[in-house]
Amino acid sequence: MTAEAGKAAGIALVISDVDGTLVTGDKRLTAATVAAVRRLRAAGIGFSIASARPPIGLRSLVAELGLDLPMGAFNGASVVRPDLSIIEERTIPEAAARSALDRLLAERLDVWVFADGAWCLRDPDGPYTDLERRTIGAEPRVVADLGTLTGSAAKIVGVSRDHAHLAACETRIAAALAGRATVHRSQAYYLDVTPPDLDKGRFVAWMSAHLAIPRERIATFGDAGNDRPMFAQSGYAVAMGNAEASVQAAASAVTDSNDADGFARAVERLILP
């Protein structure tokens, strides 16, 4: 463990981010992580995930981890069952989606639109497309005019290999879309635009009400800025060792990195009774 506060007490539910947290940098679940989820269940502690991924990108996790609770996709804008059927779903208001698309393109970013259950883009060989194929287990749909999708967009993503530029874009675009959409980087190379007033914190609150578990008995794990709302709604928050300093500062404890079984180590030392 990199650093830690006191051990959590009375945790009844764990909700984890996926990329940068639950899986390794090459998108694998390690044996230690799978075993940690199994030990949570054996101790009577529920487990779910909240991710920027589309629902289809959660399918392999359901199978490998035996997930049986609702999950948050698109940073909490969609709540789905383990069979990926929709419980709740919202899309970005069309005017905000069009503005987001125009601004992302003006920043010379590659742009992806997730709409109508599909991952849509203009360049199938653009930056990080191979990574996304492996991550969600799906092929993109090539669309000449992404503007035709702004009426049904669940998430719009700006993609760039220039991480510093993308960070600057986050500040500008979040300010421009304030109140009309939620804007966060889910990775250093992905800038996500999702529906307004919906984030991973809202999913934690939804799960608290759905399962009748007080928020102080919920623990959350994450590594990125879009995980901080989740931390704020839970009683105990664990940041990964690979997280930015601001994310670590918002957590109750900091564990090792996602490539050093940080999730499994924290479950064993901080969560399990």
Side-chain angles (χ1 to χ4, degrees):
M1 302 286 291
T2 305
E4 61 184 74
K7 184 168 182 171
I11 296 300
L13 175 66
V14 171
I15 300 175
S16 178
D17 169 54
V18 176
D19 298 292
T21 301
L22 197 64
V23 300
T24 61
D26 58 358
K27 308 300 181 180
R28 290 182 300 106
L29 286 169
T30 67
T33 295
V34 174
V37 172
R38 189 182 305 123
R39 287 198 296 273
L40 287 170
R41 266 217 197 81
I45 299 171
F47 179 76
S48 184
I49 52 181
S51 176
R53 293 186 183 191
I56 192 173
L58 307 180
R59 188 187 304 278
S60 63
L61 299 169
V62 173
E64 291 186 72
L65 296 173
L67 301 183
D68 57 2
L69 292 176
M71 303 172 293
F74 292 135
N75 289 326
S78 293
V79 180
V80 300
R81 300 179 181 89
D83 65 2
L84 305 188
S85 59
I86 301 294
I87 298 175
E88 292 186 9
E89 181 179 58
R90 276 180 51 191
T91 56
I92 307 167
E94 186 169 5
R98 181 163 292 280
S99 178
L101 177 62
D102 290 344
R103 290 177 182 279
L104 292 168
L105 291 172
E107 296 282 3
R108 299 188 178 183
L109 304 175
D110 280 75
V111 179
W112 303 341
V113 178
F114 290 85
D116 303 319
W119 165 33
C120 305
L121 44 63
R122 297 188 301 179
D123 180 5
D125 300 313
Y128 297 103
T129 52
D130 284 346
L131 178 62
E132 190 71 2
R133 286 182 176 91
R134 294 198 306 274
T135 299
I136 69 173
E139 285 292 320
R141 177 187 299 169
V142 177
V143 177
D145 180 7
L146 295 175
T148 61
L149 303 171
T150 53
S152 57
K155 181 173 77 165
I156 302 174
V157 186
V159 184
S160 177
R161 297 193 189 280
D162 185 340
H163 301 172
H165 175 57
L166 200 65
C169 290
E170 178 181 20
T171 301
R172 290 192 290 268
I173 293 174
L177 295 178
R180 299 192 292 150
T182 301
V183 181
H184 285 296
R185 279 177 298 150
S186 57
Q187 298 291 331
Y189 39 84
Y190 292 160
L191 178 57
D192 296 341
V193 180
T194 49
D197 305 318
L198 295 176
D199 54 29
K200 293 183 182 182
R202 179 261 186 188
F203 176 69
V204 173
W206 188 94
M207 288 290 282
S208 174
H210 180 70
L211 298 175
I213 295 174
R215 296 183 199 183
E216 59 266 25
R217 297 191 65 197
I218 299 175
T220 53
F221 284 71
D223 75 301
N226 64 333
D227 297 316
R228 290 178 62 181
M230 184 166 66
F231 289 0
Q233 292 294 324
S234 60
Y236 195 87
V238 181
M240 305 303 291
N242 48 288
E244 295 178 356
S246 62
V247 177
Q248 294 187 7
S252 310
V254 180
T255 186
D256 296 294
S257 76
N258 62 320
D259 284 322
D261 279 324
F263 173 84
R265 290 171 184 265
V267 165
E268 184 67 34
R269 301 183 189 186
L270 299 176
I271 306 298
L272 288 173

